[in-house]
Amino acid sequence: MVRWLAALTALAALAVASPGPAAAATDQEQVRAVLDGMNDSYNRFDFDAFTTYVCAAMRAEDGFEPGWYSSRRIDGPTHITVGSVSVAGDPPTSAIATVRFEAAHHTETLAVEFVREGAQWKACRYHAVETI
């Protein structure tokens, strides 16, 4: 879980400092904004801001908070590159983004799953596609 949390938290540093991805025009842009916000808050070491981008189920996982802090200390600053984003449902209720996560000591490509909670997209799971 710690490695997953590290990768996902790094994804969060994408560039948006506020949890307001709803301003983006398309669902794909909203998902990208969530990833930017996650990566930004991760790089600022801001756990509270990071959790605004994560689904309730993930926040409730045993060890989520201590795992986040541990991963952040190990990773240092991170960089992400968002590849494809696909949404599903009518109206859209789930999405998957392919994200390359780069930290000081490792690089991973992840498939990050999103769900809609209320009117906002939230990162909820990830699956490693490739680890370097």
Side-chain angles (χ1 to χ4, degrees):
M1 179 176 148
V2 171
R3 188 161 193 105
W4 169 85
L5 189 54
L8 189 57
T9 51
L11 292 176
L14 285 179
V16 176
S18 68
T26 68
D27 289 303
Q28 290 85 354
E29 291 169 336
Q30 291 174 38
V31 167
R32 288 175 185 275
V34 168
L35 289 165
D36 284 336
M38 291 174 72
N39 197 57
D40 179 59
S41 58
Y42 187 73
N43 282 340
R44 289 184 292 110
F45 219 100
D46 188 343
F47 177 77
D48 291 334
F50 182 83
T51 62
T52 65
Y53 300 102
V54 177
C55 73
M58 183 182 291
R59 289 190 311 268
E61 286 181 7
D62 209 24
F64 176 73
E65 185 172 356
W68 187 90
Y69 282 105
S70 174
S71 296
R72 177 57 186 90
R73 281 193 274 298
I74 292 167
D75 286 338
T78 59
H79 175 76
I80 64 165
T81 304
V82 181
S84 64
V85 176
S86 60
V87 296
D90 187 19
T93 56
S94 65
I96 296 179
T98 303
V99 183
R100 183 171 177 88
F101 165 79
E102 298 174 54
H105 303 290
H106 64 99
T107 299
E108 294 182 275
T109 300
L110 304 169
V112 181
E113 296 180 26
F114 289 81
V115 296
R116 217 186 252 291
E117 287 184 354
Q120 295 185 332
W121 287 105
K122 303 284 183 166
C124 209
R125 282 184 212 99
Y126 85 98
H127 308 279
V129 176
E130 175 186 28
T131 301
I132 299 172

PDB file of all heavy atoms in Angstrom, residues 24-59:
ATOM      1  N   ALA A  24     -12.948  23.169 -14.984  1.00  0.00           N
ATOM      2  CA  ALA A  24     -12.483  22.671 -16.281  1.00  0.00           C
ATOM      3  C   ALA A  24     -13.686  22.336 -17.151  1.00  0.00           C
ATOM      4  O   ALA A  24     -14.723  21.903 -16.670  1.00  0.00           O
ATOM      5  CB  ALA A  24     -11.595  21.449 -16.079  1.00  0.00           C
ATOM      6  N   ALA A  25     -13.502  22.493 -18.462  1.00  0.00           N
ATOM      7  CA  ALA A  25     -14.625  22.343 -19.382  1.00  0.00           C
ATOM      8  C   ALA A  25     -15.090  20.901 -19.568  1.00  0.00           C
ATOM      9  O   ALA A  25     -16.276  20.630 -19.559  1.00  0.00           O
ATOM     10  CB  ALA A  25     -14.264  22.943 -20.738  1.00  0.00           C
ATOM     11  N   THR A  26     -14.180  19.956 -19.754  1.00  0.00           N
ATOM     12  CA  THR A  26     -14.574  18.576 -20.024  1.00  0.00           C
ATOM     13  C   THR A  26     -14.241  17.683 -18.834  1.00  0.00           C
ATOM     14  O   THR A  26     -13.438  18.048 -17.969  1.00  0.00           O
ATOM     15  CB  THR A  26     -13.848  18.033 -21.265  1.00  0.00           C
ATOM     16  OG1 THR A  26     -12.450  17.905 -20.953  1.00  0.00           O
ATOM     17  CG2 THR A  26     -14.045  18.935 -22.476  1.00  0.00           C
ATOM     18  N   ASP A  27     -14.819  16.494 -18.837  1.00  0.00           N
ATOM     19  CA  ASP A  27     -14.491  15.530 -17.776  1.00  0.00           C
ATOM     20  C   ASP A  27     -13.006  15.178 -17.806  1.00  0.00           C
ATOM     21  O   ASP A  27     -12.374  15.058 -16.760  1.00  0.00           O
ATOM     22  CB  ASP A  27     -15.344  14.267 -17.925  1.00  0.00           C
ATOM     23  CG  ASP A  27     -16.794  14.522 -17.558  1.00  0.00           C
ATOM     24  OD1 ASP A  27     -17.043  14.973 -16.420  1.00  0.00           O
ATOM     25  OD2 ASP A  27     -17.661  14.275 -18.400  1.00  0.00           O
ATOM     26  N   GLN A  28     -12.437  15.031 -18.995  1.00  0.00           N
ATOM     27  CA  GLN A  28     -11.013  14.717 -19.102  1.00  0.00           C
ATOM     28  C   GLN A  28     -10.162  15.829 -18.491  1.00  0.00           C
ATOM     29  O   GLN A  28      -9.199  15.555 -17.769  1.00  0.00           O
ATOM     30  CB  GLN A  28     -10.608  14.493 -20.576  1.00  0.00           C
ATOM     31  CG  GLN A  28     -11.146  13.230 -21.177  1.00  0.00           C
ATOM     32  CD  GLN A  28     -12.572  13.369 -21.734  1.00  0.00           C
ATOM     33  OE1 GLN A  28     -13.243  14.390 -21.579  1.00  0.00           O
ATOM     34  NE2 GLN A  28     -13.034  12.315 -22.381  1.00  0.00           N
ATOM     35  N   GLU A  29     -10.529  17.075 -18.753  1.00  0.00           N
ATOM     36  CA  GLU A  29      -9.802  18.207 -18.160  1.00  0.00           C
ATOM     37  C   GLU A  29      -9.970  18.232 -16.645  1.00  0.00           C
ATOM     38  O   GLU A  29      -9.026  18.568 -15.918  1.00  0.00           O
ATOM     39  CB  GLU A  29     -10.274  19.517 -18.780  1.00  0.00           C
ATOM     40  CG  GLU A  29      -9.862  19.685 -20.220  1.00  0.00           C
ATOM     41  CD  GLU A  29     -10.546  20.853 -20.907  1.00  0.00           C
ATOM     42  OE1 GLU A  29     -11.642  21.276 -20.475  1.00  0.00           O
ATOM     43  OE2 GLU A  29      -9.963  21.344 -21.878  1.00  0.00           O
ATOM     44  N   GLN A  30     -11.144  17.880 -16.171  1.00  0.00           N
ATOM     45  CA  GLN A  30     -11.371  17.846 -14.722  1.00  0.00           C
ATOM     46  C   GLN A  30     -10.493  16.785 -14.063  1.00  0.00           C
ATOM     47  O   GLN A  30      -9.902  17.023 -13.001  1.00  0.00           O
ATOM     48  CB  GLN A  30     -12.843  17.586 -14.421  1.00  0.00           C
ATOM     49  CG  GLN A  30     -13.737  18.748 -14.793  1.00  0.00           C
ATOM     50  CD  GLN A  30     -15.196  18.418 -14.618  1.00  0.00           C
ATOM     51  OE1 GLN A  30     -15.583  17.730 -13.672  1.00  0.00           O
ATOM     52  NE2 GLN A  30     -16.029  18.917 -15.523  1.00  0.00           N
ATOM     53  N   VAL A  31     -10.389  15.605 -14.678  1.00  0.00           N
ATOM     54  CA  VAL A  31      -9.539  14.544 -14.137  1.00  0.00           C
ATOM     55  C   VAL A  31      -8.079  15.000 -14.131  1.00  0.00           C
ATOM     56  O   VAL A  31      -7.360  14.810 -13.151  1.00  0.00           O
ATOM     57  CB  VAL A  31      -9.717  13.231 -14.935  1.00  0.00           C
ATOM     58  CG1 VAL A  31      -8.620  12.225 -14.607  1.00  0.00           C
ATOM     59  CG2 VAL A  31     -11.103  12.642 -14.663  1.00  0.00           C
ATOM     60  N   ARG A  32      -7.645  15.625 -15.205  1.00  0.00           N
ATOM     61  CA  ARG A  32      -6.271  16.144 -15.262  1.00  0.00           C
ATOM     62  C   ARG A  32      -6.028  17.182 -14.160  1.00  0.00           C
ATOM     63  O   ARG A  32      -4.976  17.209 -13.540  1.00  0.00           O
ATOM     64  CB  ARG A  32      -5.980  16.744 -16.633  1.00  0.00           C
ATOM     65  CG  ARG A  32      -5.839  15.702 -17.722  1.00  0.00           C
ATOM     66  CD  ARG A  32      -5.678  16.353 -19.113  1.00  0.00           C
ATOM     67  NE  ARG A  32      -5.667  15.355 -20.156  1.00  0.00           N
ATOM     68  CZ  ARG A  32      -4.597  14.674 -20.550  1.00  0.00           C
ATOM     69  NH1 ARG A  32      -3.424  14.907 -19.969  1.00  0.00           N
ATOM     70  NH2 ARG A  32      -4.692  13.781 -21.503  1.00  0.00           N
ATOM     71  N   ALA A  33      -7.025  18.033 -13.913  1.00  0.00           N
ATOM     72  CA  ALA A  33      -6.901  19.044 -12.863  1.00  0.00           C
ATOM     73  C   ALA A  33      -6.795  18.396 -11.484  1.00  0.00           C
ATOM     74  O   ALA A  33      -6.045  18.862 -10.630  1.00  0.00           O
ATOM     75  CB  ALA A  33      -8.089  20.005 -12.917  1.00  0.00           C
ATOM     76  N   VAL A  34      -7.538  17.307 -11.272  1.00  0.00           N
ATOM     77  CA  VAL A  34      -7.439  16.579  -9.994  1.00  0.00           C
ATOM     78  C   VAL A  34      -6.018  16.045  -9.827  1.00  0.00           C
ATOM     79  O   VAL A  34      -5.403  16.188  -8.773  1.00  0.00           O
ATOM     80  CB  VAL A  34      -8.473  15.440  -9.914  1.00  0.00           C
ATOM     81  CG1 VAL A  34      -8.178  14.509  -8.742  1.00  0.00           C
ATOM     82  CG2 VAL A  34      -9.874  16.012  -9.788  1.00  0.00           C
ATOM     83  N   LEU A  35      -5.490  15.430 -10.861  1.00  0.00           N
ATOM     84  CA  LEU A  35      -4.125  14.896 -10.790  1.00  0.00           C
ATOM     85  C   LEU A  35      -3.117  16.011 -10.527  1.00  0.00           C
ATOM     86  O   LEU A  35      -2.202  15.854  -9.708  1.00  0.00           O
ATOM     87  CB  LEU A  35      -3.788  14.143 -12.073  1.00  0.00           C
ATOM     88  CG  LEU A  35      -4.512  12.810 -12.241  1.00  0.00           C
ATOM     89  CD1 LEU A  35      -4.412  12.318 -13.679  1.00  0.00           C
ATOM     90  CD2 LEU A  35      -3.967  11.776 -11.269  1.00  0.00           C
ATOM     91  N   ASP A  36      -3.295  17.138 -11.185  1.00  0.00           N
ATOM     92  CA  ASP A  36      -2.400  18.273 -10.946  1.00  0.00           C
ATOM     93  C   ASP A  36      -2.486  18.741  -9.489  1.00  0.00           C
ATOM     94  O   ASP A  36      -1.481  19.017  -8.852  1.00  0.00           O
ATOM     95  CB  ASP A  36      -2.739  19.437 -11.876  1.00  0.00           C
ATOM     96  CG  ASP A  36      -2.259  19.228 -13.292  1.00  0.00           C
ATOM     97  OD1 ASP A  36      -1.298  18.455 -13.502  1.00  0.00           O
ATOM     98  OD2 ASP A  36      -2.846  19.847 -14.207  1.00  0.00           O
ATOM     99  N   GLY A  37      -3.698  18.830  -8.986  1.00  0.00           N
ATOM    100  CA  GLY A  37      -3.885  19.259  -7.600  1.00  0.00           C
ATOM    101  C   GLY A  37      -3.288  18.280  -6.607  1.00  0.00           C
ATOM    102  O   GLY A  37      -2.693  18.676  -5.599  1.00  0.00           O
ATOM    103  N   MET A  38      -3.442  16.997  -6.893  1.00  0.00           N
ATOM    104  CA  MET A  38      -2.856  15.975  -6.016  1.00  0.00           C
ATOM    105  C   MET A  38      -1.338  16.120  -5.968  1.00  0.00           C
ATOM    106  O   MET A  38      -0.726  16.113  -4.910  1.00  0.00           O
ATOM    107  CB  MET A  38      -3.239  14.575  -6.499  1.00  0.00           C
ATOM    108  CG  MET A  38      -4.689  14.226  -6.325  1.00  0.00           C
ATOM    109  SD  MET A  38      -5.092  12.626  -7.069  1.00  0.00           S
ATOM    110  CE  MET A  38      -4.281  11.520  -5.911  1.00  0.00           C
ATOM    111  N   ASN A  39      -0.727  16.232  -7.142  1.00  0.00           N
ATOM    112  CA  ASN A  39       0.734  16.313  -7.200  1.00  0.00           C
ATOM    113  C   ASN A  39       1.239  17.589  -6.543  1.00  0.00           C
ATOM    114  O   ASN A  39       2.244  17.577  -5.820  1.00  0.00           O
ATOM    115  CB  ASN A  39       1.221  16.208  -8.646  1.00  0.00           C
ATOM    116  CG  ASN A  39       2.687  15.882  -8.712  1.00  0.00           C
ATOM    117  OD1 ASN A  39       3.122  14.878  -8.173  1.00  0.00           O
ATOM    118  ND2 ASN A  39       3.444  16.730  -9.355  1.00  0.00           N
ATOM    119  N   ASP A  40       0.532  18.683  -6.759  1.00  0.00           N
ATOM    120  CA  ASP A  40       0.925  19.949  -6.135  1.00  0.00           C
ATOM    121  C   ASP A  40       0.872  19.849  -4.610  1.00  0.00           C
ATOM    122  O   ASP A  40       1.824  20.225  -3.922  1.00  0.00           O
ATOM    123  CB  ASP A  40       0.020  21.075  -6.630  1.00  0.00           C
ATOM    124  CG  ASP A  40       0.380  22.398  -5.997  1.00  0.00           C
ATOM    125  OD1 ASP A  40       1.536  22.847  -6.165  1.00  0.00           O
ATOM    126  OD2 ASP A  40      -0.496  22.980  -5.326  1.00  0.00           O
ATOM    127  N   SER A  41      -0.208  19.319  -4.079  1.00  0.00           N
ATOM    128  CA  SER A  41      -0.322  19.215  -2.619  1.00  0.00           C
ATOM    129  C   SER A  41       0.677  18.201  -2.062  1.00  0.00           C
ATOM    130  O   SER A  41       1.210  18.388  -0.963  1.00  0.00           O
ATOM    131  CB  SER A  41      -1.758  18.872  -2.199  1.00  0.00           C
ATOM    132  OG  SER A  41      -2.193  17.671  -2.787  1.00  0.00           O
ATOM    133  N   TYR A  42       0.974  17.161  -2.819  1.00  0.00           N
ATOM    134  CA  TYR A  42       1.988  16.181  -2.400  1.00  0.00           C
ATOM    135  C   TYR A  42       3.346  16.856  -2.304  1.00  0.00           C
ATOM    136  O   TYR A  42       4.056  16.713  -1.309  1.00  0.00           O
ATOM    137  CB  TYR A  42       2.022  15.033  -3.408  1.00  0.00           C
ATOM    138  CG  TYR A  42       2.910  13.877  -3.020  1.00  0.00           C
ATOM    139  CD1 TYR A  42       2.538  13.010  -2.011  1.00  0.00           C
ATOM    140  CD2 TYR A  42       4.105  13.649  -3.680  1.00  0.00           C
ATOM    141  CE1 TYR A  42       3.346  11.923  -1.668  1.00  0.00           C
ATOM    142  CE2 TYR A  42       4.911  12.566  -3.346  1.00  0.00           C
ATOM    143  CZ  TYR A  42       4.521  11.711  -2.335  1.00  0.00           C
ATOM    144  OH  TYR A  42       5.321  10.639  -2.000  1.00  0.00           O
ATOM    145  N   ASN A  43       3.703  17.617  -3.315  1.00  0.00           N
ATOM    146  CA  ASN A  43       5.002  18.288  -3.308  1.00  0.00           C
ATOM    147  C   ASN A  43       5.092  19.367  -2.241  1.00  0.00           C
ATOM    148  O   ASN A  43       6.177  19.666  -1.754  1.00  0.00           O
ATOM    149  CB  ASN A  43       5.328  18.865  -4.688  1.00  0.00           C
ATOM    150  CG  ASN A  43       5.811  17.796  -5.639  1.00  0.00           C
ATOM    151  OD1 ASN A  43       6.262  16.726  -5.225  1.00  0.00           O
ATOM    152  ND2 ASN A  43       5.700  18.069  -6.926  1.00  0.00           N
ATOM    153  N   ARG A  44       3.968  19.949  -1.856  1.00  0.00           N
ATOM    154  CA  ARG A  44       3.950  20.938  -0.771  1.00  0.00           C
ATOM    155  C   ARG A  44       3.851  20.277   0.605  1.00  0.00           C
ATOM    156  O   ARG A  44       3.810  20.958   1.610  1.00  0.00           O
ATOM    157  CB  ARG A  44       2.784  21.910  -0.948  1.00  0.00           C
ATOM    158  CG  ARG A  44       2.967  22.875  -2.108  1.00  0.00           C
ATOM    159  CD  ARG A  44       1.837  23.899  -2.219  1.00  0.00           C
ATOM    160  NE  ARG A  44       0.568  23.275  -2.597  1.00  0.00           N
ATOM    161  CZ  ARG A  44      -0.494  23.141  -1.799  1.00  0.00           C
ATOM    162  NH1 ARG A  44      -0.464  23.574  -0.558  1.00  0.00           N
ATOM    163  NH2 ARG A  44      -1.601  22.559  -2.237  1.00  0.00           N
ATOM    164  N   PHE A  45       3.788  18.931   0.622  1.00  0.00           N
ATOM    165  CA  PHE A  45       3.682  18.173   1.872  1.00  0.00           C
ATOM    166  C   PHE A  45       2.400  18.536   2.608  1.00  0.00           C
ATOM    167  O   PHE A  45       2.363  18.659   3.838  1.00  0.00           O
ATOM    168  CB  PHE A  45       4.906  18.429   2.764  1.00  0.00           C
ATOM    169  CG  PHE A  45       5.401  17.214   3.485  1.00  0.00           C
ATOM    170  CD1 PHE A  45       6.496  16.520   2.998  1.00  0.00           C
ATOM    171  CD2 PHE A  45       4.779  16.758   4.635  1.00  0.00           C
ATOM    172  CE1 PHE A  45       6.969  15.396   3.668  1.00  0.00           C
ATOM    173  CE2 PHE A  45       5.246  15.638   5.305  1.00  0.00           C
ATOM    174  CZ  PHE A  45       6.342  14.957   4.823  1.00  0.00           C
ATOM    175  N   ASP A  46       1.309  18.733   1.860  1.00  0.00           N
ATOM    176  CA  ASP A  46       0.026  19.179   2.413  1.00  0.00           C
ATOM    177  C   ASP A  46      -0.985  18.028   2.359  1.00  0.00           C
ATOM    178  O   ASP A  46      -1.757  17.899   1.400  1.00  0.00           O
ATOM    179  CB  ASP A  46      -0.470  20.388   1.628  1.00  0.00           C
ATOM    180  CG  ASP A  46      -1.696  21.039   2.244  1.00  0.00           C
ATOM    181  OD1 ASP A  46      -2.376  20.409   3.095  1.00  0.00           O
ATOM    182  OD2 ASP A  46      -1.979  22.191   1.861  1.00  0.00           O
ATOM    183  N   PHE A  47      -0.990  17.218   3.399  1.00  0.00           N
ATOM    184  CA  PHE A  47      -1.867  16.052   3.458  1.00  0.00           C
ATOM    185  C   PHE A  47      -3.340  16.443   3.366  1.00  0.00           C
ATOM    186  O   PHE A  47      -4.111  15.813   2.643  1.00  0.00           O
ATOM    187  CB  PHE A  47      -1.609  15.259   4.747  1.00  0.00           C
ATOM    188  CG  PHE A  47      -2.533  14.087   4.913  1.00  0.00           C
ATOM    189  CD1 PHE A  47      -2.324  12.916   4.198  1.00  0.00           C
ATOM    190  CD2 PHE A  47      -3.607  14.151   5.786  1.00  0.00           C
ATOM    191  CE1 PHE A  47      -3.177  11.823   4.340  1.00  0.00           C
ATOM    192  CE2 PHE A  47      -4.462  13.062   5.949  1.00  0.00           C
ATOM    193  CZ  PHE A  47      -4.247  11.904   5.220  1.00  0.00           C
ATOM    194  N   ASP A  48      -3.740  17.477   4.101  1.00  0.00           N
ATOM    195  CA  ASP A  48      -5.151  17.871   4.101  1.00  0.00           C
ATOM    196  C   ASP A  48      -5.625  18.257   2.704  1.00  0.00           C
ATOM    197  O   ASP A  48      -6.721  17.865   2.283  1.00  0.00           O
ATOM    198  CB  ASP A  48      -5.392  19.017   5.083  1.00  0.00           C
ATOM    199  CG  ASP A  48      -5.237  18.582   6.531  1.00  0.00           C
ATOM    200  OD1 ASP A  48      -5.429  17.378   6.826  1.00  0.00           O
ATOM    201  OD2 ASP A  48      -4.912  19.437   7.372  1.00  0.00           O
ATOM    202  N   ALA A  49      -4.820  19.024   1.973  1.00  0.00           N
ATOM    203  CA  ALA A  49      -5.199  19.392   0.607  1.00  0.00           C
ATOM    204  C   ALA A  49      -5.238  18.150  -0.281  1.00  0.00           C
ATOM    205  O   ALA A  49      -6.138  17.992  -1.100  1.00  0.00           O
ATOM    206  CB  ALA A  49      -4.222  20.427   0.039  1.00  0.00           C
ATOM    207  N   PHE A  50      -4.275  17.258  -0.106  1.00  0.00           N
ATOM    208  CA  PHE A  50      -4.217  16.043  -0.914  1.00  0.00           C
ATOM    209  C   PHE A  50      -5.495  15.225  -0.770  1.00  0.00           C
ATOM    210  O   PHE A  50      -6.038  14.728  -1.748  1.00  0.00           O
ATOM    211  CB  PHE A  50      -3.007  15.203  -0.506  1.00  0.00           C
ATOM    212  CG  PHE A  50      -2.854  13.962  -1.329  1.00  0.00           C
ATOM    213  CD1 PHE A  50      -2.227  13.996  -2.553  1.00  0.00           C
ATOM    214  CD2 PHE A  50      -3.362  12.749  -0.876  1.00  0.00           C
ATOM    215  CE1 PHE A  50      -2.097  12.850  -3.321  1.00  0.00           C
ATOM    216  CE2 PHE A  50      -3.239  11.601  -1.635  1.00  0.00           C
ATOM    217  CZ  PHE A  50      -2.602  11.651  -2.867  1.00  0.00           C
ATOM    218  N   THR A  51      -5.987  15.097   0.450  1.00  0.00           N
ATOM    219  CA  THR A  51      -7.166  14.261   0.679  1.00  0.00           C
ATOM    220  C   THR A  51      -8.422  14.801   0.005  1.00  0.00           C
ATOM    221  O   THR A  51      -9.357  14.043  -0.221  1.00  0.00           O
ATOM    222  CB  THR A  51      -7.444  14.048   2.180  1.00  0.00           C
ATOM    223  OG1 THR A  51      -7.725  15.311   2.794  1.00  0.00           O
ATOM    224  CG2 THR A  51      -6.266  13.369   2.865  1.00  0.00           C
ATOM    225  N   THR A  52      -8.444  16.076  -0.360  1.00  0.00           N
ATOM    226  CA  THR A  52      -9.626  16.612  -1.044  1.00  0.00           C
ATOM    227  C   THR A  52      -9.770  16.049  -2.451  1.00  0.00           C
ATOM    228  O   THR A  52     -10.836  16.162  -3.048  1.00  0.00           O
ATOM    229  CB  THR A  52      -9.600  18.152  -1.114  1.00  0.00           C
ATOM    230  OG1 THR A  52      -8.506  18.577  -1.934  1.00  0.00           O
ATOM    231  CG2 THR A  52      -9.508  18.774   0.272  1.00  0.00           C
ATOM    232  N   TYR A  53      -8.716  15.436  -2.979  1.00  0.00           N
ATOM    233  CA  TYR A  53      -8.719  14.879  -4.332  1.00  0.00           C
ATOM    234  C   TYR A  53      -8.932  13.366  -4.352  1.00  0.00           C
ATOM    235  O   TYR A  53      -8.932  12.761  -5.412  1.00  0.00           O
ATOM    236  CB  TYR A  53      -7.393  15.184  -5.029  1.00  0.00           C
ATOM    237  CG  TYR A  53      -7.121  16.660  -5.154  1.00  0.00           C
ATOM    238  CD1 TYR A  53      -6.230  17.292  -4.299  1.00  0.00           C
ATOM    239  CD2 TYR A  53      -7.765  17.417  -6.126  1.00  0.00           C
ATOM    240  CE1 TYR A  53      -5.975  18.646  -4.422  1.00  0.00           C
ATOM    241  CE2 TYR A  53      -7.513  18.774  -6.247  1.00  0.00           C
ATOM    242  CZ  TYR A  53      -6.624  19.379  -5.388  1.00  0.00           C
ATOM    243  OH  TYR A  53      -6.377  20.719  -5.506  1.00  0.00           O
ATOM    244  N   VAL A  54      -9.091  12.761  -3.173  1.00  0.00           N
ATOM    245  CA  VAL A  54      -9.123  11.308  -3.048  1.00  0.00           C
ATOM    246  C   VAL A  54     -10.516  10.861  -2.599  1.00  0.00           C
ATOM    247  O   VAL A  54     -11.147  11.504  -1.759  1.00  0.00           O
ATOM    248  CB  VAL A  54      -8.043  10.851  -2.035  1.00  0.00           C
ATOM    249  CG1 VAL A  54      -8.083   9.366  -1.819  1.00  0.00           C
ATOM    250  CG2 VAL A  54      -6.666  11.278  -2.520  1.00  0.00           C
ATOM    251  N   CYS A  55     -10.975   9.729  -3.137  1.00  0.00           N
ATOM    252  CA  CYS A  55     -12.310   9.227  -2.798  1.00  0.00           C
ATOM    253  C   CYS A  55     -12.398   8.813  -1.324  1.00  0.00           C
ATOM    254  O   CYS A  55     -11.402   8.514  -0.680  1.00  0.00           O
ATOM    255  CB  CYS A  55     -12.696   8.056  -3.707  1.00  0.00           C
ATOM    256  SG  CYS A  55     -11.836   6.502  -3.358  1.00  0.00           S
ATOM    257  N   ALA A  56     -13.611   8.783  -0.824  1.00  0.00           N
ATOM    258  CA  ALA A  56     -13.858   8.443   0.580  1.00  0.00           C
ATOM    259  C   ALA A  56     -13.328   7.051   0.930  1.00  0.00           C
ATOM    260  O   ALA A  56     -12.773   6.846   2.011  1.00  0.00           O
ATOM    261  CB  ALA A  56     -15.349   8.537   0.883  1.00  0.00           C
ATOM    262  N   ALA A  57     -13.491   6.092   0.034  1.00  0.00           N
ATOM    263  CA  ALA A  57     -13.023   4.727   0.316  1.00  0.00           C
ATOM    264  C   ALA A  57     -11.515   4.685   0.518  1.00  0.00           C
ATOM    265  O   ALA A  57     -11.013   3.981   1.400  1.00  0.00           O
ATOM    266  CB  ALA A  57     -13.433   3.784  -0.817  1.00  0.00           C
ATOM    267  N   MET A  58     -10.778   5.425  -0.271  1.00  0.00           N
ATOM    268  CA  MET A  58      -9.326   5.436  -0.120  1.00  0.00           C
ATOM    269  C   MET A  58      -8.910   6.123   1.181  1.00  0.00           C
ATOM    270  O   MET A  58      -8.025   5.646   1.890  1.00  0.00           O
ATOM    271  CB  MET A  58      -8.659   6.139  -1.304  1.00  0.00           C
ATOM    272  CG  MET A  58      -7.142   6.113  -1.237  1.00  0.00           C
ATOM    273  SD  MET A  58      -6.351   6.989  -2.587  1.00  0.00           S
ATOM    274  CE  MET A  58      -6.766   5.915  -3.938  1.00  0.00           C
ATOM    275  N   ARG A  59      -9.569   7.238   1.487  1.00  0.00           N
ATOM    276  CA  ARG A  59      -9.243   7.957   2.729  1.00  0.00           C
ATOM    277  C   ARG A  59      -9.506   7.076   3.950  1.00  0.00           C
ATOM    278  O   ARG A  59      -8.836   7.207   4.967  1.00  0.00           O
ATOM    279  CB  ARG A  59     -10.059   9.238   2.829  1.00  0.00           C
ATOM    280  CG  ARG A  59      -9.625  10.304   1.857  1.00  0.00           C
ATOM    281  CD  ARG A  59     -10.289  11.650   2.148  1.00  0.00           C
ATOM    282  NE  ARG A  59     -11.720  11.593   2.335  1.00  0.00           N
ATOM    283  CZ  ARG A  59     -12.625  11.754   1.381  1.00  0.00           C
ATOM    284  NH1 ARG A  59     -12.244  11.970   0.134  1.00  0.00           N
ATOM    285  NH2 ARG A  59     -13.904  11.700   1.654  1.00  0.00           N
TER     286      ARG A  59
END
